[in-house]
Structure formats: structure tokens, C-alpha cells
Amino acid sequence: MTQTPGANTPHPSFMAEVKDAVTPRATILVTGTVVLALLFIASYVGALHDPKPKNVPLGVVAPEVAAQQTVDRLENLPGDPLDPRALPDVETARDQILDREIDGALVIDPTTTTDTLLVATGGGRALAATLESLVATLERSEARTLRVVDVAPADRHDANGLTSFYVTVGWCVGGYLCASIITISSGARRPTLRRSVIRLIVMALVAAVAGLGGALIVGPILGALPGSIAALWGVGTLTVFAVGAATFAFQAVFGMAGIGLVILIVVILGNPSAGGALPPPLLPPFWHDIGPALPPGAGTWTTRSVAYFKGNDTTGSLLILSAWAVAGAAITLLAAALRGKDRTPTAPATPGPTATAAP
């Protein structure tokens, strides 16, 4: 009787099948993905679930004695929601709001029972509404009424003043996705110096296209954001390139794990702290502190300034974006150059003359 080959070969156990199917590399990648997902939930909920104003800069315009009394009262509110300061006149208050030095101003008129609150919904409707609610409560306690004047109104098509945040998030996503695709497409090997230069040039071209596209979409196409198209194009280009260059740098130093680190920094830490859904004064301390130093926060602040505040107070945020771009490009090139030196082959030793044995 002929025996079929392999007929008596035992089937592998279930655990053996599991070990064969689930490789250590896959386990690490899945574990890392789950960790990132949980961090995503924790960061967004932690930053946005319970908004409370903290040290919101507020001007007070009133006769000298009344101004100081009001400042003292506002400074002593429980939880320090406001950071009040006396201002000489309404014009100064308007100028400081447009310069983004303060977020609102209370103008007290002692000759009537109605005071005026100056706000800027272009800086975020949530913040303006919080100031209005807080000051209106104080006014009612003194049997006074409140009139609200919006000195930098958000566009009527800019729902809740979030367009600046949304376009910035899109630019950031474009930056790290394009850089990641460029990185992954060349395989696991790390790039040479020449290839790194090519990648950065390509990233700059991609950034220019994405920056212009975003500016056109939120501007003339959808009419969701006012402001100079050229200025928005510049902000978008810098934002995309900054995130893309940072992605190259992290990948150059940490390998493919660097892409995960970029997602951690830009998405998990950067987006909830960017001041989009909640402007910075409404964020918890940790998120309020890190937001301006990360690309989403710097990009959102700059875009809002271009759209609603005549481009005022953008120097700091532009320097932050530039620092990410320059540091990312420099680290990418330096890492490639150092690897090139490590791989330089050593010239083989020249063999000496062969000695001939005496007969």
C-alpha cells in the first residue's frame, strides 16, 4: 500500500499558528497604534472637556477711581479667570485688541447704567462668549446692563471662528503625510545626503502647492476666511514645510518609529493645544503652555492674525514655524552626512613586494 507523503505529519498547535502569524514586529506596531489611539483620546478629552477661563487679558476703561476699583474686583474673582489692566481710553482698548495684546475690554460709563464690552470673535467665538457671560454676570450683580461690540468679527461663513484651525490642521496633515510617503516609498534604508537634499526640495515644492491650495479653498472658493491670499499662502507653505522637514528629521534619527513620534507631537499634542476649538486662555495649563511652541498652534495663531487682526502679532509664531523648518532640515542633512562618513569604505592596504626565498 502506497503511503501518501505527509499524511501522518502532525498539524501545528494553535499556539504555534499564533506565533507564526503574529510576528514580534507586528505586535510592536499594533501595540504602538493602540497606545497612540489612547493618547489621542486622552489628549483631546483632557484639553477640551472642561473649558475654564484663566488669566484672560481684559482692558478696563473708566474714570481713574472707578477703573482701579473695577480692576481690583476683577483680579479677586475666584479662580483668576481674568487678567485685568486699566487703559486710558476706548481707542487704546480697540488698538490693543487688534494687536492681540488683550482679548476684550470693559468700557464703563458712570453717567448711565449701561457698560460696553469690546470683544473679537475673530480670535475665537468661544472666548468672546465666555467673556460676555462672565462680565454680564458681574454687571447684573451691580444692577447694570451690558452692551457687546465686536471689533474684529469672525466672517459669517467662518462657523465658530474655526476655519483658521481647520486649514492649519489640513496643512499639518499634508506635511507629515507627504513626508511619510516619501520616506516609506524608498524602503527601510536611511537616505544619503544627496537623497535628503532631493527630499527637502520636493517637500518645499509640495508645501508651496498645498499652501496655495489651502489659501484658495478657504478664501475665494468657499469664502470662509478673509485676509490676504498671498499672506495665507505664505503661512500655509511654511507650516507644511515645517511639519514635513520635522518628519524627515525624526525619521532620520529614529527610523520608521520617527513617523509615530511626529504623529504624537503634531496630532496628539499639537492639535488640541492649538487654540482652535478653545482659544488658549480657555485651555488647561499644560495645553496652554505647549500650544504656541508646536506647529498647529503657531499656524492657527498666525492664520487668525492674518484673517482678522491685520497681520498683527505674528512674529513669534512665524519664528516658531521657521525654527521647526530650519531645525528639521538641518537635522535631516546632518544625520545623512554623518551616516555617509560612517559608510565611507576604507582603502585596502597596498600589499608589499613578495619576498623571494633564497634557493
Side-chain angles (χ1 to χ4, degrees):
M1 179 177 179
T2 304
Q3 185 176 10
T4 304
N8 295 328
T9 303
H11 292 289
S13 65
F14 177 76
M15 290 305 299
E17 290 278 7
V18 171
K19 290 180 180 179
D20 183 59
V22 183
T23 64
R25 177 181 175 84
T27 302
I28 293 173
L29 290 175
V30 170
T31 301
T33 302
V34 172
V35 169
L36 285 176
L38 296 179
L39 288 174
F40 183 93
I41 295 170
S43 66
Y44 275 75
V45 176
L48 308 177
H49 79 289
D50 187 22
K52 293 178 181 178
K54 185 70 173 179
N55 295 323
V56 181
L58 180 75
V60 175
V61 180
E64 186 174 347
V65 175
Q68 191 56 51
Q69 290 176 344
T70 303
V71 168
D72 292 340
R73 184 183 180 194
L74 296 176
E75 283 180 334
N76 292 323
L77 290 175
D80 298 322
L82 299 175
D83 178 17
R85 70 283 308 268
L87 299 177
D89 49 51
V90 176
E91 195 61 34
T92 300
R94 286 177 175 271
D95 289 343
Q96 290 198 10
I97 291 174
L98 293 176
D99 289 339
R100 308 200 75 178
E101 296 179 23
I102 59 176
D103 293 311
L106 175 60
V107 182
I108 298 175
D109 184 357
T111 64
T112 69
T113 59
T114 300
D115 297 328
T116 301
L117 177 65
L118 306 180
V119 297
T121 55
R125 294 184 190 273
L127 180 56
T130 299
L131 281 176
E132 181 179 351
S133 175
L134 184 60
V135 175
T137 300
L138 295 174
E139 292 285 287
R140 284 194 297 269
S141 68
E142 296 184 351
R144 298 180 68 82
T145 57
L146 187 68
R147 181 174 70 102
V148 178
V149 175
D150 195 348
V151 300
D155 191 275
R156 64 188 182 91
H157 296 297
D158 184 5
N160 296 318
L162 292 176
T163 300
S164 299
F165 171 63
Y166 290 146
V167 69
T168 300
V169 168
W171 283 329
C172 289
V173 169
Y176 71 74
L177 281 184
C178 288
S180 299
I181 290 171
I182 292 172
T183 297
I184 294 172
S185 65
S186 62
R189 68 183 186 278
R190 296 182 178 179
T192 62
L193 179 58
R194 179 179 296 179
R195 181 167 295 181
S196 295
V197 171
I198 294 173
R199 287 182 176 184
L200 289 169
I201 293 173
V202 171
M203 194 70 242
L205 296 175
V206 169
V209 173
L212 177 59
L216 292 176
I217 289 172
V218 300
I221 294 177
L222 297 180
L225 203 64
S228 165
I229 296 300
L232 290 174
W233 180 11
V235 175
T237 299
L238 181 56
T239 301
V240 175
F241 183 78
V243 175
T247 303
F248 288 149
F250 277 99
Q251 187 272 334
V253 175
F254 300 103
M256 289 300 178
I259 296 175
L261 291 175
V262 170
I263 294 174
L264 173 66
I265 293 172
V266 174
V267 178
I268 294 176
L269 295 178
N271 285 355
S273 65
L278 295 179
L282 301 182
L283 292 171
F286 172 76
W287 305 102
H288 173 274
D289 293 339
I290 68 171
L294 301 178
T300 299
W301 181 274
T302 308
T303 304
R304 273 184 174 153
S305 291
V306 169
Y308 297 117
F309 298 94
K310 303 178 180 179
N312 294 326
D313 196 23
T314 58
T315 301
S317 52
L318 287 174
L319 287 175
I320 292 294
L321 291 171
S322 299
W324 279 92
V326 172
I331 292 173
T332 299
L333 297 176
L334 179 61
L338 292 176
R339 282 195 302 272
K341 289 182 179 180
D342 292 341
R343 294 175 181 175
T344 301
T346 304
T350 303
T354 305
T356 303

